[in-house]
Structure formats: C-alpha cells, structure tokens
Amino acid sequence: MWSKSLSSSEIFAINIDCSISGDVFQWKLENLRLRGDASSTCADVFECTNAVHLSTTNTEVVVQTPVPQLSALTACIWVRSKEDHVGTLVSYAVSGRDNEFIMYDTSSLDIYVKGESRDSGLNVNDGTWHHVCATWSSSDGSWAFYDNGVRTAGVTGLKQGATITAGGSLVLGQEQDAVGGGYDPTQSFVGNLADFNMWSRALSPTEIVDVQNGLQGNADVFSWDLTHVDIRGDARINCIVK
C-alpha cells in the first residue's frame, strides 16, 4: 500500500521486482495479527520473492558475502527443477578442499562437510517448489535435511569436532572442483532458485518451519538479497509466487 497513486510504469516494475515495497504497508506476516479460524502456511499464503531462473548449465550465482568459520550451520533454499542430471544447489569451496560444504544431487540430496558425505534419499527434482534445509553441528556431527518443513533424514557422526573454514567461495547452482570454478555441466542446476539463507547454527525443527513461512527473520551468515550476489551466464530474475 502506497500513499500516492502509482503510474503504469511503477505498477509494472512492482510486478517484476518483489523488493519494491509500499511506504504505508509492506506484506510481512510478522506485521499481521491473525484472528479467528485462520492459519498461515506456505501453501496458502500469497508470497512473492525474487527468484533466479538458471536456464542452462553455464549459469552460476556467486554469493559476495564472506563466510566465517563455522562449527554449525543451517542452509535453506527454495528450488524448482525437473532435469535428468545431477543438480547442485549449494557449493562452498576453500583452498585445498573443494567440498567444504555442499548440497548436491536434486534426485537424492547429499550433504558434504569437509569432503565427507551423507545421502538423504530426498528427491526434489519433480517440477514443484520445495523448501529445502540442511543442518549440521560439529558437537556431535549431527546432520539433517528438511523438505517443506518436514525432517526427511539425519543422524549423527558427520565430521564431529570439525569446523568449516572461513573465507571460501560460496556458489549456488554449480559444484566447484576448484575455488570459484572447475564446474562440471553434468552437476549443474537448471531451474529456479530463491530465498537462499544461511545461519551459523543448526536451527530447530520449529525454526525451520518459521523460515519456510517467512517468520524467522534475517539469517546471520547470509540473507537472500540480489544486491549481494553476482549472477553469471544464462539467468534471469523473476518475481514469483511460491
């Protein structure tokens, strides 16, 4: 809601850029009080966001925000794809280790921490939107995957006592075999990515649901902001409703 009558060009700009907000009110669930027989879920709440459509295997989204040393993490991202090859959602590489942290293979998602992997069996390669989160904690090596707020896999024993090295390269949509490159087209993601957020702790199941519904607030490592990513190759930005 705005305190003026918008022009046709301004209304068109709102249609393609979700970051444009009203000066009177901007749609956020934390600014609403629901009363009566009402509830909010991602499925039935109109939610608009800026998504990146990666149309070919030579596209990448490079996060410009530096990654600190981490003894725990949560990485969440909205994805939609239906491709017949391995797709990489998130790749974090450091000098001397290209698989420092990865969310890999949309047909059966793996988590990699410092070169060691675990397979979740989670398939998000079905052409529909999925909110995917991966968590990991060094204290007991616990890890988990969540799909649309539901925990689908996870145990302990993944790189217990280790820490994620700071200062590497964080890329969406490609699997790095070298820092900032070494991409294999058969491991690239083709489809839509949106709302990538990363925390320096393992969020609880309740917090994961809040992230999906837009209620968790800003992440402390990286919060989705197109001004802090470098989009390269055959990509376009879409304002989409999940």
Side-chain angles (χ1 to χ4, degrees):
M1 187 173 181
W2 287 261
S3 60
K4 65 173 184 174
S5 176
L6 299 183
S7 67
S8 298
S9 60
E10 287 173 320
I11 291 174
F12 178 78
I14 294 166
N15 186 55
I16 61 174
D17 186 353
C18 296
S19 66
I20 300 174
S21 59
D23 62 332
V24 175
F25 180 78
Q26 179 184 9
W27 178 258
K28 288 185 178 180
L29 291 181
E30 58 262 38
N31 295 333
L32 302 175
R33 178 179 295 177
L34 302 180
R35 297 173 178 169
D37 298 323
S39 63
S40 64
T41 67
C42 186
D44 58 22
V45 173
F46 180 91
E47 184 178 1
C48 179
T49 190
N50 281 318
V52 180
H53 178 69
L54 286 69
S55 57
T56 66
T57 58
N58 69 344
T59 308
E60 60 183 308
V61 180
V62 181
V63 176
Q64 300 296 309
T65 303
V67 175
Q69 179 174 292
L70 299 169
S71 58
L73 63 83
T74 300
C76 294
I77 190 168
W78 281 96
V79 301
R80 183 174 65 182
S81 180
K82 192 171 184 179
E83 293 295 320
D84 57 2
H85 65 275
V86 172
T88 303
L89 301 182
V90 181
S91 172
Y92 178 63
V94 299
S95 179
R97 191 189 305 275
D98 54 326
N99 295 337
E100 189 75 356
F101 170 70
I102 302 181
M103 296 168 67
Y104 173 83
D105 191 355
T106 52
S107 64
S108 183
L109 274 172
D110 293 348
I111 181 174
Y112 280 74
V113 175
K114 301 190 80 71
E116 187 173 325
S117 68
R118 297 290 187 273
D119 182 15
S120 72
L122 173 60
N123 181 7
V124 296
N125 194 26
D126 59 4
T128 65
W129 279 107
H130 290 263
H131 184 250
V132 179
C133 293
T135 66
W136 171 77
S137 178
S138 173
S139 60
D140 59 357
S142 60
W143 64 276
F145 269 109
Y146 294 80
D147 180 25
N148 295 329
V150 178
R151 181 182 168 121
T152 61
V155 289
T156 58
L158 176 59
K159 285 297 181 180
Q160 183 175 356
T163 56
I164 300 293
T165 303
S169 171
L170 181 58
V171 174
L172 310 180
Q174 294 283 0
E175 199 279 301
Q176 302 173 83
D177 286 332
V179 176
Y183 302 142
D184 182 343
T186 66
Q187 298 174 338
S188 63
F189 177 86
V190 176
N192 290 282
L193 299 174
D195 286 0
F196 172 69
N197 294 279
M198 192 170 181
W199 290 260
S200 61
R201 62 187 180 91
L203 299 187
S204 69
T206 300
E207 289 175 312
I208 295 289
V209 173
D210 285 345
V211 173
Q212 180 189 2
N213 290 326
L215 300 174
Q216 182 59 28
N218 290 335
D220 62 337
V221 175
F222 180 77
S223 287
W224 184 244
D225 184 343
L226 293 183
T227 64
H228 293 149
V229 299
D230 184 8
I231 301 170
R232 304 168 183 172
D234 298 320
R236 67 177 184 270
I237 299 171
N238 294 329
C239 184
I240 55 92
V241 178
K242 301 187 298 290

